[in-house]
Amino acid sequence: MRRALADLLILKDPGLSNFSDFGLLPPILDALAAEGYDNPTPIQSQAIPQVLAGRDLCGIAQTGTGKTAAFALPILQRLAGETTRTPRGTCRALVLSPTRELASQIAQSFRSYRGRLPLSTAVVFGGVPLGPQQRQLAAGVDILVATPGRLLDLIDRRALELSGIRVLVLDEADRMLDLGFIHALKRIVRLLPKQRQTLLFSATMPKTIAALSEEYLTDPVKVVVTPPATTVERVDQTVTFVPAERKRELLATILRDPDFARVLVFTRTKHGADRVVRHLSQAGIDSAAIHGNKSQPQRERALAGFRAGHTRVLVATDIASRGIDVEGVSHVVNFELPNVPEDYVHRIGRTARAGAAGSAISFCSDEEKPYLRDIEKLTRVAIPALPAPAALRIAASGPPVRLPERPSPPSTRPAPAQPRSRRQRNGPRRPNPASAGNRQRNETADAGSLPAFLRFPRGKSTVHSARS
Ligand code: AMP
């Protein structure tokens, strides 16, 4: 019998505080110790006992909370306890992920957490040849992590059959729906046995996800661990009001501060991401882009370089960034604000991982102020404004300028509004490419010693309201 979500049990107690309290198998406990996990995170302490008991679960949690282990550990425990071998061309646990990056990371987590357990893991996603994936599935796989489109491709080619699935995980379900996977998802679920355990994770709980939970989960436990505001509160956030055509200059300037050790820069579009990389390169700053137009090897290379610290700046679009799990991201820069406020929460959650603190800086043009208002409404946080340097506040048509070379006292005046006609020409989704004049400014701008007000964001003392 299914129950309305509103009636579900919402677990608020802190749960168990030791992995050994869960009764996990020694190889799993050893693997967790090897990973350096001392204690379960809140979602792990709340979800693991319920999932081990066989309950369906609806987890409202975003990446960075430890949700992968929350579903992976009980799945490993369950499959390890079964004596049957996985037949050829089938799998026993299926994890659906919206993006390739997230799928790879989930598969990697399963490999880390299984330790010495003889359980096989495979990951399948689009954009790479089918052959090797077909061959992997032919032998039978215990745990399969997949993106929905490629999974259906493989099913249609008879490389895989789903009737033996015991556990289904829908990870980042809200993003799967955002990406238009609803029909693929429905097709996949129709191929699964009715008798199964289903775990759904979503960062947000819009009506569509509530409906999905009601349809696919049976008597689920609901665990809510990180409402957006909680993560958001751990991030030191600021917004700088700056004309769209001056953003590149501002970005190059702040990136000269060595405190910006590992920086994720977000743009709204793929082309925007490429333009930022090109501009930074002109300004002598190395960066890499990660977005949907890049091939899988390119994405992996960019991510690996960023993770290893070879690339200090990674420029990403929202979709490509989902699930990027890189420790020690010092700053998230919203070069363009997202038009979907939830994306802001996902973006800034890339810093402040696993309890650490982090900084998020948003560049907001006049056209983006409505997006900022939506974000503040969602997060219930008024983001402090940090003035742009005076050199960046001159009218867009002004002459090329050099940024000040000496620290100046913090300005307390908001950025002046830009001429209306210019704003109207620059739609919010498509900031104009830099003019030749701007490019010249970018190349000559030298903030060797950064003005104090550009030392983002060490304090919130320069707070003022510049919002319209
Ligand atoms: P996730 O939300 O699953 O993407 O996990 C976010 C990050 O937290 C990953 O880098 C995990 O390795 C890490 N992590 C997960 N669980 C724990 C834990 N219990 N203790 C320490 N780190 C953890």
Side-chain angles (χ1 to χ4, degrees):
M1 193 184 73
R2 299 187 196 286
R3 281 197 275 157
L5 267 174
D7 300 334
L8 297 177
L9 169 62
I10 299 184
L11 291 171
K12 290 216 173 88
D13 68 285
L16 301 175
S17 60
N18 271 308
F19 281 114
S20 50
D21 296 339
F22 298 135
L24 293 169
L25 294 164
I28 300 178
L29 290 176
D30 292 347
L32 293 176
E35 287 292 300
Y37 294 6
D38 295 328
N39 300 108
T41 64
I43 190 158
Q44 290 162 3
S45 15
Q46 294 177 36
I48 291 173
Q50 302 293 332
V51 182
L52 282 173
R55 296 286 300 268
D56 279 6
L57 182 129
C58 175
I60 305 301
Q62 50 188 255
T63 308
T65 55
K67 70 181 164 62
T68 315
F71 62 77
L73 303 182
I75 288 176
L76 289 165
Q77 175 98 352
R78 175 172 176 171
L79 297 190
E82 293 180 354
T83 47
T84 48
R85 272 181 64 97
T86 304
R88 294 176 63 78
T90 69
C91 58
R92 288 194 280 163
L94 173 65
V95 182
L96 290 178
S97 145
T99 65
R100 313 167 196 183
E101 282 77 18
L102 182 62
S104 297
Q105 278 174 15
I106 295 170
Q108 189 46 49
S109 298
F110 269 103
R111 288 186 199 111
S112 307
Y113 302 147
R114 79 182 163 196
R116 315 183 293 278
L117 289 174
L119 293 171
S120 58
T121 304
V123 57
V124 296
F125 45 70
V128 292
L130 276 154
Q133 297 180 352
Q134 282 175 304
R135 284 194 288 282
Q136 239 185 328
L137 295 176
V141 170
D142 295 317
I143 299 145
L144 178 64
V145 187
T147 52
R150 177 52 62 98
L151 186 79
L152 285 173
D153 260 4
L154 289 159
I155 291 168
D156 291 342
R157 285 163 198 267
R158 306 204 182 287
L160 180 70
E161 206 268 325
L162 296 182
S163 62
I165 295 285
R166 323 276 205 277
V167 190
L168 168 70
V169 181
L170 302 175
D171 198 15
E172 302 209 345
D174 49 351
R175 181 53 53 145
M176 275 200 272
L177 298 196
D178 286 351
L179 293 178
F181 285 134
I182 184 68
H183 296 296
L185 214 58
K186 289 194 161 161
R187 240 195 94 196
I188 292 166
V189 174
R190 275 201 299 273
L191 300 170
L192 300 175
K194 290 243 167 347
Q195 271 295 343
R196 60 163 200 268
Q197 186 175 21
T198 306
L199 315 173
L200 180 150
F201 291 85
S202 181
T204 54
M205 186 51 130
K207 282 198 187 95
T208 44
I209 295 295
L212 205 67
S213 308
E214 285 215 29
E215 197 177 342
Y216 293 154
L217 307 187
T218 305
D219 192 16
V221 175
K222 186 179 180 193
V223 177
V224 183
V225 286
T226 313
T230 312
T231 305
V232 164
E233 277 158 13
R234 281 212 315 271
V235 180
D236 193 1
Q237 302 170 71
T238 53
V239 58
T240 290
F241 296 97
V242 57
E245 58 276 24
R246 289 301 172 88
K247 288 184 173 186
R248 299 162 177 211
E249 212 172 330
L250 180 58
L251 182 64
T253 305
I254 65 171
L255 289 179
R256 291 201 169 92
D257 181 344
D259 280 354
F260 283 65
R262 188 168 284 174
V263 187
L264 252 178
V265 177
F266 283 98
T267 60
R268 270 196 303 268
T269 65
K270 303 171 209 172
H271 295 302
D274 286 335
R275 278 198 298 266
V276 168
V277 168
R278 271 201 308 277
H279 163 75
L280 288 177
S281 154
Q282 286 164 7
I285 298 167
D286 264 353
S287 63
I290 182 163
H291 57 64
N293 280 0
K294 299 274 181 192
S295 69
Q296 186 59 21
Q298 280 173 324
R299 287 177 182 212
E300 278 168 13
R301 255 199 318 276
L303 202 51
F306 187 58
R307 193 172 272 138
H310 305 315
T311 313
R312 187 168 63 105
V313 182
L314 187 66
V315 187
T317 55
D318 289 294
I319 288 169
S321 83
R322 282 296 283 221
I324 289 181
D325 178 21
V326 178
E327 279 176 25
V329 172
S330 61
H331 294 78
V332 165
V333 178
N334 292 309
F335 186 82
E336 290 160 334
L337 284 176
N339 48 0
V340 177
E342 280 84 1
D343 283 343
Y344 176 84
V345 177
H346 290 304
R347 287 179 178 191
I348 72 168
R350 307 300 100 190
T351 180
R353 312 283 288 170
S359 297
I361 299 152
S362 295
F363 294 176
C364 180
S365 65
D366 276 353
E367 297 82 2
E368 293 172 307
K369 283 183 177 170
Y371 301 161
L372 181 64
R373 275 194 290 274
D374 288 348
I375 289 164
E376 292 186 326
K377 218 155 81 193
L378 175 79
T379 60
R380 281 170 272 133
V381 170
I383 304 173
L386 196 65
L392 291 171
R393 273 188 268 141
I394 64 161
S397 55
V401 286
R402 275 183 170 273
L403 289 172
E405 284 167 12
R406 284 163 187 275
S408 320
S411 165
T412 50
R413 286 197 5 247
Q418 296 305 306
R420 185 76 201 153
S421 57
R422 180 87 191 189
R423 265 182 278 150
Q424 281 161 343
R425 279 205 306 278
N426 292 342
R429 280 154 198 263
R430 261 178 231 256
N432 278 347
S435 64
N438 272 343
R439 264 199 296 280
Q440 190 190 345
R441 275 194 293 284
N442 295 331
E443 282 154 13
T444 55
D446 175 15
S449 63
L450 270 182
F453 47 75
L454 273 181
R455 298 210 161 268
F456 279 104
R458 288 289 165 262
K460 293 181 182 170
S461 51
T462 50
V463 174
H464 65 90
S465 173
R467 265 160 231 129
S468 55

